[in-house]
Amino acid sequence: MKLYQYLLLLFSFFSFSQGSYNLEVKFKTEITAFDFNSELENQKNRYGDGLKMNYLGDGNFIRTYLNSGKKGNKTQSYNNLTGQLIISYNDSLAVDTLDVKQNTIQLIYKKEIEGESILKLKCKCIVYSGIFKQQIPVKITYCYSEDSPFLDGNLFSNHNDFFMADFYKSTNRPYLKFLMETSDFNLTFTAIEIKKIPLQKYLKS
């Protein structure tokens, strides 16, 4: 665990009672690329074949990418107080910092649809269709279940990029499926496990 992740986690830990927990969701990753194999290999290198999402209880979270390539993503750590996403990579000690308070996607429409069952939980989905600032069309879908653990959506108010703040505020739930559809590739994260971990135990991992 890198120093900045430890400090983020430590801050979250002392913000709550000793009985507080971190919510962990594990996903399988599926990538489909169109027209050329190089794009498929590029995205597999970037995202790997699995993802672990740890919600720390105060609007902060850490994504850990599993089996990503040498130059791929290692972690993404979000701090809701600053609205920044810190990205680390497998082949470098350097990190990138992104300001996610502003959405890089212009919304065309938003709609709600019925979803599949995930982890034996009946799901609903919210679909956001939009255009990146580079004039690239994209569709983002978040699926959730009202029977999954509660999250206070207001705690994610600074993560406006990819419509994330709107999703959490609308549902107060973690997403169990994320789908990004572009003209070059589709990226899907589908939950395979969800559990609560006491922050004290997670802090020692």
Side-chain angles (χ1 to χ4, degrees):
M1 185 178 294
K2 292 182 177 292
L3 178 60
Y4 64 83
Q5 293 175 322
Y6 180 83
L7 292 176
L8 179 64
L9 182 59
L10 193 63
F11 175 81
S12 301
F13 177 72
F14 286 113
S15 296
F16 295 90
S17 69
Q18 294 294 311
S20 295
Y21 63 88
N22 124 66
L23 181 65
E24 181 175 281
V25 187
K26 290 184 179 179
F27 299 87
K28 65 177 180 180
T29 301
E30 298 172 287
I31 302 169
T32 304
F34 310 107
D35 296 331
F36 42 89
N37 292 328
S38 59
E39 183 64 29
L40 178 61
E41 290 304 313
N42 179 48
Q43 299 304 329
K44 284 184 176 180
N45 178 74
R46 183 177 182 183
Y47 294 108
D49 62 10
L51 177 72
K52 185 170 66 173
M53 181 82 162
N54 291 97
Y55 295 93
L56 305 183
D58 56 355
N60 299 328
F61 61 73
I62 298 174
R63 295 190 188 105
T64 304
Y65 292 85
L66 307 177
N67 301 314
S68 54
K70 183 177 180 181
K71 296 183 179 298
N73 291 335
K74 185 175 183 180
T75 62
Q76 293 183 347
S77 304
Y78 173 66
N79 187 323
N80 194 56
L81 289 178
T82 63
Q84 291 183 327
L85 192 67
I86 302 171
I87 306 173
S88 68
Y89 304 94
N90 290 322
D91 68 340
S92 176
L93 294 177
V95 298
D96 287 331
T97 302
L98 297 180
D99 185 344
V100 293
K101 292 191 295 294
Q102 300 297 320
N103 200 340
T104 56
I105 304 173
Q106 180 181 349
L107 181 66
I108 297 176
Y109 68 80
K110 169 187 174 181
K111 67 178 181 179
E112 297 187 23
I113 61 174
E114 292 297 319
E116 62 195 283
S117 291
I118 301 173
L119 296 174
K120 298 181 179 180
L121 299 174
K122 184 178 180 181
C123 292
K124 299 179 180 179
C125 302
I126 301 179
V127 180
Y128 301 89
S129 181
I131 300 177
F132 281 114
K133 291 182 179 180
Q134 300 87 348
Q135 298 304 305
I136 301 173
V138 62
K139 185 183 293 183
I140 304 293
T141 302
Y142 295 98
C143 298
Y144 69 99
S145 173
E146 294 177 347
D147 295 322
S148 62
F150 175 85
L151 291 177
D152 185 349
N154 293 316
L155 294 176
F156 303 90
S157 59
N158 279 329
H159 199 313
N160 291 300
D161 205 12
F162 281 67
F163 310 104
M164 191 163 284
D166 183 80
F167 165 74
Y168 285 121
K169 186 175 181 180
S170 299
T171 65
N172 292 307
R173 295 295 187 276
Y175 59 84
L176 300 182
K177 183 175 184 178
F178 169 89
L179 170 62
M180 180 171 68
E181 299 174 85
T182 74
S183 57
D184 292 333
F185 69 95
N186 291 346
L187 171 67
T188 308
F189 301 126
T190 305
I192 57 175
E193 182 182 28
I194 183 169
K195 60 183 178 180
K196 296 178 181 180
I197 302 175
L199 277 177
Q200 282 182 318
K201 180 178 179 180
Y202 185 67
L203 189 64
K204 296 176 182 178
S205 64

